Amino acid sequence: MELSKGSIVEDLCRWKDLYIQNRRDEGLANRSVTIYSGVIDELAEYSRQHQDEVALKDLNAFYVNAFLNEKAAKSTKGFGNTSRKLYMNVIKGYFKFISENNIESVDLLYQLRNLNDA
């Protein structure tokens, strides 16, 4: 599938639908599917404010860290290391899926190699 067809938000949502269906097909529990979907939706919502400046191929560790830092700053319930690691694992898995399935062979996972673990 083409890496990008529209804005960053449209592309994240388009890929999310395929990724979530793939995870369901692999037998991921419904609760996990809900969590994965929510994390990707939050990344898409964060990206809405940057959609005129950034494309899917531009996403990197700096961008994802900025998303996670904003999430932590806005969290009223707390956003500790465990939550951060969960978000990073979901995002890395999502980007791996996109990397393996886009016809342009853009490796988004490689761009996350410097993503902080905590």
Side-chain angles (χ1 to χ4, degrees), residues 15-47:
W15 280 103
K16 180 196 108 174
D17 293 340
L18 293 171
Y19 178 64
I20 294 300
Q21 186 58 52
N22 177 265
R23 296 308 312 247
R24 279 193 177 114
D25 292 347
E26 291 175 348
L28 191 67
N30 286 338
R31 176 70 179 135
S32 296
V33 166
T34 300
I35 291 168
Y36 281 42
S37 185
V39 169
I40 297 166
D41 285 343
E42 287 182 48
L43 178 62
E45 189 58 36
Y46 170 80
S47 298

mmCIF file of all heavy atoms in Angstrom, residues 15-47:
data_model
loop_
_atom_site.group_PDB
_atom_site.id
_atom_site.type_symbol
_atom_site.label_atom_id
_atom_site.label_comp_id
_atom_site.label_asym_id
_atom_site.label_seq_id
_atom_site.Cartn_x
_atom_site.Cartn_y
_atom_site.Cartn_z
ATOM 1 N N TRP A 15 -3.659 3.738 8.000
ATOM 2 C CA TRP A 15 -2.774 2.652 8.399
ATOM 3 C C TRP A 15 -3.256 1.993 9.694
ATOM 4 O O TRP A 15 -3.088 0.792 9.884
ATOM 5 C CB TRP A 15 -1.338 3.147 8.545
ATOM 6 C CG TRP A 15 -0.623 3.259 7.238
ATOM 7 C CD1 TRP A 15 -0.363 4.393 6.535
ATOM 8 C CD2 TRP A 15 -0.080 2.181 6.463
ATOM 9 N NE1 TRP A 15 0.307 4.088 5.371
ATOM 10 C CE2 TRP A 15 0.499 2.737 5.310
ATOM 11 C CE3 TRP A 15 -0.025 0.808 6.639
ATOM 12 C CZ2 TRP A 15 1.127 1.957 4.333
ATOM 13 C CZ3 TRP A 15 0.599 0.033 5.669
ATOM 14 C CH2 TRP A 15 1.169 0.606 4.531
ATOM 15 N N LYS A 16 -3.836 2.781 10.587
ATOM 16 C CA LYS A 16 -4.338 2.223 11.850
ATOM 17 C C LYS A 16 -5.384 1.153 11.585
ATOM 18 O O LYS A 16 -5.354 0.083 12.201
ATOM 19 C CB LYS A 16 -4.930 3.310 12.733
ATOM 20 C CG LYS A 16 -5.467 2.767 14.067
ATOM 21 C CD LYS A 16 -6.369 3.759 14.751
ATOM 22 C CE LYS A 16 -7.758 3.236 14.639
ATOM 23 N NZ LYS A 16 -8.777 3.935 15.318
ATOM 24 N N ASP A 17 -6.303 1.426 10.681
ATOM 25 C CA ASP A 17 -7.353 0.454 10.373
ATOM 26 C C ASP A 17 -6.751 -0.881 9.924
ATOM 27 O O ASP A 17 -7.184 -1.948 10.371
ATOM 28 C CB ASP A 17 -8.300 0.994 9.307
ATOM 29 C CG ASP A 17 -9.122 2.179 9.789
ATOM 30 O OD1 ASP A 17 -9.255 2.371 11.022
ATOM 31 O OD2 ASP A 17 -9.638 2.922 8.934
ATOM 32 N N LEU A 18 -5.751 -0.832 9.066
ATOM 33 C CA LEU A 18 -5.093 -2.055 8.595
ATOM 34 C C LEU A 18 -4.320 -2.745 9.716
ATOM 35 O O LEU A 18 -4.350 -3.972 9.844
ATOM 36 C CB LEU A 18 -4.135 -1.728 7.443
ATOM 37 C CG LEU A 18 -4.778 -1.247 6.149
ATOM 38 C CD1 LEU A 18 -3.713 -0.754 5.186
ATOM 39 C CD2 LEU A 18 -5.581 -2.374 5.528
ATOM 40 N N TYR A 19 -3.625 -1.953 10.515
ATOM 41 C CA TYR A 19 -2.826 -2.497 11.616
ATOM 42 C C TYR A 19 -3.713 -3.183 12.650
ATOM 43 O O TYR A 19 -3.427 -4.311 13.074
ATOM 44 C CB TYR A 19 -2.011 -1.373 12.259
ATOM 45 C CG TYR A 19 -1.186 -1.817 13.443
ATOM 46 C CD1 TYR A 19 -0.163 -2.741 13.288
ATOM 47 C CD2 TYR A 19 -1.425 -1.300 14.710
ATOM 48 C CE1 TYR A 19 0.599 -3.140 14.372
ATOM 49 C CE2 TYR A 19 -0.662 -1.692 15.798
ATOM 50 C CZ TYR A 19 0.353 -2.616 15.618
ATOM 51 O OH TYR A 19 1.104 -3.020 16.701
ATOM 52 N N ILE A 20 -4.782 -2.537 13.035
ATOM 53 C CA ILE A 20 -5.687 -3.106 14.029
ATOM 54 C C ILE A 20 -6.323 -4.391 13.485
ATOM 55 O O ILE A 20 -6.430 -5.390 14.211
ATOM 56 C CB ILE A 20 -6.753 -2.078 14.463
ATOM 57 C CG1 ILE A 20 -6.082 -0.911 15.205
ATOM 58 C CG2 ILE A 20 -7.834 -2.725 15.313
ATOM 59 C CD1 ILE A 20 -5.318 -1.291 16.467
ATOM 60 N N GLN A 21 -6.728 -4.390 12.231
ATOM 61 C CA GLN A 21 -7.292 -5.607 11.643
ATOM 62 C C GLN A 21 -6.257 -6.723 11.631
ATOM 63 O O GLN A 21 -6.565 -7.867 11.954
ATOM 64 C CB GLN A 21 -7.816 -5.349 10.229
ATOM 65 C CG GLN A 21 -8.530 -6.550 9.632
ATOM 66 C CD GLN A 21 -9.709 -6.991 10.485
ATOM 67 O OE1 GLN A 21 -10.570 -6.200 10.826
ATOM 68 N NE2 GLN A 21 -9.755 -8.266 10.852
ATOM 69 N N ASN A 22 -5.023 -6.393 11.312
ATOM 70 C CA ASN A 22 -3.944 -7.372 11.323
ATOM 71 C C ASN A 22 -3.742 -7.952 12.713
ATOM 72 O O ASN A 22 -3.576 -9.157 12.884
ATOM 73 C CB ASN A 22 -2.655 -6.722 10.801
ATOM 74 C CG ASN A 22 -1.487 -7.666 10.853
ATOM 75 O OD1 ASN A 22 -0.716 -7.661 11.811
ATOM 76 N ND2 ASN A 22 -1.341 -8.467 9.816
ATOM 77 N N ARG A 23 -3.752 -7.090 13.718
ATOM 78 C CA ARG A 23 -3.569 -7.551 15.103
ATOM 79 C C ARG A 23 -4.740 -8.424 15.546
ATOM 80 O O ARG A 23 -4.551 -9.418 16.243
ATOM 81 C CB ARG A 23 -3.393 -6.366 16.051
ATOM 82 C CG ARG A 23 -2.153 -5.509 15.816
ATOM 83 C CD ARG A 23 -0.844 -6.285 15.749
ATOM 84 N NE ARG A 23 -0.650 -7.235 16.815
ATOM 85 C CZ ARG A 23 0.262 -7.155 17.773
ATOM 86 N NH1 ARG A 23 1.091 -6.156 17.792
ATOM 87 N NH2 ARG A 23 0.351 -8.099 18.699
ATOM 88 N N ARG A 24 -5.951 -8.074 15.133
ATOM 89 C CA ARG A 24 -7.123 -8.916 15.441
ATOM 90 C C ARG A 24 -6.965 -10.294 14.803
ATOM 91 O O ARG A 24 -7.252 -11.317 15.415
ATOM 92 C CB ARG A 24 -8.404 -8.257 14.939
ATOM 93 C CG ARG A 24 -8.943 -7.202 15.838
ATOM 94 C CD ARG A 24 -10.380 -6.827 15.433
ATOM 95 N NE ARG A 24 -10.892 -5.860 16.365
ATOM 96 C CZ ARG A 24 -11.186 -4.611 16.068
ATOM 97 N NH1 ARG A 24 -11.037 -4.168 14.833
ATOM 98 N NH2 ARG A 24 -11.636 -3.790 16.987
ATOM 99 N N ASP A 25 -6.537 -10.289 13.529
ATOM 100 C CA ASP A 25 -6.339 -11.547 12.813
ATOM 101 C C ASP A 25 -5.287 -12.420 13.492
ATOM 102 O O ASP A 25 -5.341 -13.646 13.395
ATOM 103 C CB ASP A 25 -5.931 -11.282 11.364
ATOM 104 C CG ASP A 25 -7.049 -10.648 10.542
ATOM 105 O OD1 ASP A 25 -8.212 -10.627 11.006
ATOM 106 O OD2 ASP A 25 -6.741 -10.146 9.435
ATOM 107 N N GLU A 26 -4.331 -11.780 14.162
ATOM 108 C CA GLU A 26 -3.288 -12.524 14.888
ATOM 109 C C GLU A 26 -3.766 -13.002 16.256
ATOM 110 O O GLU A 26 -3.024 -13.671 16.964
ATOM 111 C CB GLU A 26 -2.048 -11.647 15.060
ATOM 112 C CG GLU A 26 -1.327 -11.363 13.768
ATOM 113 C CD GLU A 26 -0.167 -10.383 13.930
ATOM 114 O OE1 GLU A 26 -0.048 -9.737 14.993
ATOM 115 O OE2 GLU A 26 0.612 -10.272 12.978
ATOM 116 N N GLY A 27 -4.986 -12.624 16.643
ATOM 117 C CA GLY A 27 -5.550 -13.098 17.892
ATOM 118 C C GLY A 27 -5.310 -12.208 19.095
ATOM 119 O O GLY A 27 -5.468 -12.658 20.237
ATOM 120 N N LEU A 28 -4.964 -10.954 18.874
ATOM 121 C CA LEU A 28 -4.763 -10.031 19.981
ATOM 122 C C LEU A 28 -6.079 -9.852 20.741
ATOM 123 O O LEU A 28 -7.143 -9.719 20.131
ATOM 124 C CB LEU A 28 -4.272 -8.680 19.449
ATOM 125 C CG LEU A 28 -3.766 -7.670 20.477
ATOM 126 C CD1 LEU A 28 -2.486 -8.166 21.138
ATOM 127 C CD2 LEU A 28 -3.508 -6.325 19.804
ATOM 128 N N ALA A 29 -6.007 -9.856 22.061
ATOM 129 C CA ALA A 29 -7.203 -9.726 22.898
ATOM 130 C C ALA A 29 -7.921 -8.410 22.634
ATOM 131 O O ALA A 29 -7.293 -7.404 22.292
ATOM 132 C CB ALA A 29 -6.805 -9.815 24.372
ATOM 133 N N ASN A 30 -9.229 -8.422 22.805
ATOM 134 C CA ASN A 30 -10.040 -7.231 22.546
ATOM 135 C C ASN A 30 -9.571 -6.035 23.373
ATOM 136 O O ASN A 30 -9.549 -4.909 22.875
ATOM 137 C CB ASN A 30 -11.513 -7.503 22.821
ATOM 138 C CG ASN A 30 -12.149 -8.354 21.749
ATOM 139 O OD1 ASN A 30 -11.661 -8.414 20.627
ATOM 140 N ND2 ASN A 30 -13.228 -9.022 22.091
ATOM 141 N N ARG A 31 -9.232 -6.259 24.635
ATOM 142 C CA ARG A 31 -8.758 -5.164 25.499
ATOM 143 C C ARG A 31 -7.467 -4.565 24.942
ATOM 144 O O ARG A 31 -7.297 -3.351 24.925
ATOM 145 C CB ARG A 31 -8.560 -5.675 26.932
ATOM 146 C CG ARG A 31 -7.987 -4.649 27.864
ATOM 147 C CD ARG A 31 -8.992 -3.537 28.169
ATOM 148 N NE ARG A 31 -8.384 -2.592 29.086
ATOM 149 C CZ ARG A 31 -8.452 -1.287 28.955
ATOM 150 N NH1 ARG A 31 -9.148 -0.755 27.973
ATOM 151 N NH2 ARG A 31 -7.872 -0.502 29.814
ATOM 152 N N SER A 32 -6.575 -5.413 24.472
ATOM 153 C CA SER A 32 -5.319 -4.932 23.883
ATOM 154 C C SER A 32 -5.580 -4.160 22.594
ATOM 155 O O SER A 32 -4.953 -3.132 22.347
ATOM 156 C CB SER A 32 -4.371 -6.099 23.617
ATOM 157 O OG SER A 32 -3.992 -6.709 24.828
ATOM 158 N N VAL A 33 -6.511 -4.646 21.795
ATOM 159 C CA VAL A 33 -6.880 -3.946 20.555
ATOM 160 C C VAL A 33 -7.382 -2.549 20.890
ATOM 161 O O VAL A 33 -7.016 -1.570 20.230
ATOM 162 C CB VAL A 33 -7.934 -4.743 19.757
ATOM 163 C CG1 VAL A 33 -8.568 -3.897 18.667
ATOM 164 C CG2 VAL A 33 -7.314 -5.996 19.167
ATOM 165 N N THR A 34 -8.184 -2.442 21.935
ATOM 166 C CA THR A 34 -8.714 -1.145 22.358
ATOM 167 C C THR A 34 -7.577 -0.214 22.785
ATOM 168 O O THR A 34 -7.561 0.967 22.424
ATOM 169 C CB THR A 34 -9.715 -1.327 23.515
ATOM 170 O OG1 THR A 34 -10.788 -2.152 23.060
ATOM 171 C CG2 THR A 34 -10.267 0.004 23.991
ATOM 172 N N ILE A 35 -6.628 -0.743 23.531
ATOM 173 C CA ILE A 35 -5.482 0.062 23.983
ATOM 174 C C ILE A 35 -4.647 0.502 22.786
ATOM 175 O O ILE A 35 -4.304 1.682 22.663
ATOM 176 C CB ILE A 35 -4.636 -0.721 24.994
ATOM 177 C CG1 ILE A 35 -5.409 -0.893 26.301
ATOM 178 C CG2 ILE A 35 -3.296 -0.031 25.245
ATOM 179 C CD1 ILE A 35 -4.794 -1.881 27.273
ATOM 180 N N TYR A 36 -4.319 -0.418 21.895
ATOM 181 C CA TYR A 36 -3.516 -0.091 20.711
ATOM 182 C C TYR A 36 -4.203 0.980 19.878
ATOM 183 O O TYR A 36 -3.581 1.951 19.446
ATOM 184 C CB TYR A 36 -3.294 -1.340 19.851
ATOM 185 C CG TYR A 36 -2.235 -2.276 20.346
ATOM 186 C CD1 TYR A 36 -2.103 -2.589 21.698
ATOM 187 C CD2 TYR A 36 -1.364 -2.887 19.465
ATOM 188 C CE1 TYR A 36 -1.134 -3.462 22.141
ATOM 189 C CE2 TYR A 36 -0.389 -3.762 19.902
ATOM 190 C CZ TYR A 36 -0.279 -4.050 21.240
ATOM 191 O OH TYR A 36 0.687 -4.908 21.667
ATOM 192 N N SER A 37 -5.488 0.796 19.656
ATOM 193 C CA SER A 37 -6.259 1.745 18.859
ATOM 194 C C SER A 37 -6.260 3.122 19.513
ATOM 195 O O SER A 37 -6.089 4.146 18.839
ATOM 196 C CB SER A 37 -7.684 1.217 18.695
ATOM 197 O OG SER A 37 -8.428 2.048 17.852
ATOM 198 N N GLY A 38 -6.421 3.158 20.826
ATOM 199 C CA GLY A 38 -6.424 4.424 21.555
ATOM 200 C C GLY A 38 -5.101 5.165 21.467
ATOM 201 O O GLY A 38 -5.070 6.385 21.287
ATOM 202 N N VAL A 39 -3.995 4.436 21.588
ATOM 203 C CA VAL A 39 -2.669 5.059 21.501
ATOM 204 C C VAL A 39 -2.480 5.679 20.118
ATOM 205 O O VAL A 39 -2.032 6.825 19.990
ATOM 206 C CB VAL A 39 -1.551 4.036 21.802
ATOM 207 C CG1 VAL A 39 -0.181 4.602 21.453
ATOM 208 C CG2 VAL A 39 -1.609 3.601 23.266
ATOM 209 N N ILE A 40 -2.835 4.938 19.083
ATOM 210 C CA ILE A 40 -2.673 5.448 17.715
ATOM 211 C C ILE A 40 -3.605 6.627 17.467
ATOM 212 O O ILE A 40 -3.214 7.608 16.825
ATOM 213 C CB ILE A 40 -2.881 4.320 16.688
ATOM 214 C CG1 ILE A 40 -1.797 3.247 16.887
ATOM 215 C CG2 ILE A 40 -2.841 4.870 15.267
ATOM 216 C CD1 ILE A 40 -2.075 1.944 16.171
ATOM 217 N N ASP A 41 -4.813 6.571 18.007
ATOM 218 C CA ASP A 41 -5.738 7.704 17.881
ATOM 219 C C ASP A 41 -5.158 8.949 18.555
ATOM 220 O O ASP A 41 -5.280 10.059 18.025
ATOM 221 C CB ASP A 41 -7.090 7.381 18.503
ATOM 222 C CG ASP A 41 -7.928 6.437 17.652
ATOM 223 O OD1 ASP A 41 -7.627 6.275 16.454
ATOM 224 O OD2 ASP A 41 -8.879 5.846 18.209
ATOM 225 N N GLU A 42 -4.527 8.779 19.706
ATOM 226 C CA GLU A 42 -3.926 9.921 20.399
ATOM 227 C C GLU A 42 -2.761 10.498 19.588
ATOM 228 O O GLU A 42 -2.591 11.717 19.515
ATOM 229 C CB GLU A 42 -3.447 9.506 21.785
ATOM 230 C CG GLU A 42 -4.576 9.283 22.762
ATOM 231 C CD GLU A 42 -4.083 8.912 24.143
ATOM 232 O OE1 GLU A 42 -3.176 9.606 24.653
ATOM 233 O OE2 GLU A 42 -4.603 7.930 24.710
ATOM 234 N N LEU A 43 -1.964 9.626 18.968
ATOM 235 C CA LEU A 43 -0.879 10.103 18.110
ATOM 236 C C LEU A 43 -1.448 10.866 16.912
ATOM 237 O O LEU A 43 -0.934 11.933 16.549
ATOM 238 C CB LEU A 43 -0.013 8.938 17.629
ATOM 239 C CG LEU A 43 1.126 9.291 16.679
ATOM 240 C CD1 LEU A 43 2.131 10.237 17.342
ATOM 241 C CD2 LEU A 43 1.815 8.017 16.192
ATOM 242 N N ALA A 44 -2.525 10.374 16.338
ATOM 243 C CA ALA A 44 -3.165 11.058 15.206
ATOM 244 C C ALA A 44 -3.713 12.411 15.642
ATOM 245 O O ALA A 44 -3.555 13.413 14.927
ATOM 246 C CB ALA A 44 -4.274 10.192 14.618
ATOM 247 N N GLU A 45 -4.322 12.457 16.810
ATOM 248 C CA GLU A 45 -4.861 13.723 17.312
ATOM 249 C C GLU A 45 -3.741 14.721 17.582
ATOM 250 O O GLU A 45 -3.856 15.905 17.259
ATOM 251 C CB GLU A 45 -5.695 13.483 18.580
ATOM 252 C CG GLU A 45 -6.458 14.695 19.029
ATOM 253 C CD GLU A 45 -7.416 15.250 17.982
ATOM 254 O OE1 GLU A 45 -8.025 14.468 17.223
ATOM 255 O OE2 GLU A 45 -7.550 16.496 17.902
ATOM 256 N N TYR A 46 -2.649 14.268 18.159
ATOM 257 C CA TYR A 46 -1.481 15.126 18.374
ATOM 258 C C TYR A 46 -0.978 15.646 17.027
ATOM 259 O O TYR A 46 -0.589 16.812 16.899
ATOM 260 C CB TYR A 46 -0.383 14.345 19.096
ATOM 261 C CG TYR A 46 0.939 15.068 19.157
ATOM 262 C CD1 TYR A 46 1.154 16.070 20.102
ATOM 263 C CD2 TYR A 46 1.975 14.762 18.277
ATOM 264 C CE1 TYR A 46 2.366 16.748 20.162
ATOM 265 C CE2 TYR A 46 3.181 15.429 18.336
ATOM 266 C CZ TYR A 46 3.377 16.426 19.276
ATOM 267 O OH TYR A 46 4.573 17.094 19.324
ATOM 268 N N SER A 47 -0.989 14.792 16.018
ATOM 269 C CA SER A 47 -0.465 15.152 14.696
ATOM 270 C C SER A 47 -1.348 16.159 13.979
ATOM 271 O O SER A 47 -0.883 16.854 13.066
ATOM 272 C CB SER A 47 -0.318 13.899 13.837
ATOM 273 O OG SER A 47 0.614 13.023 14.431
#
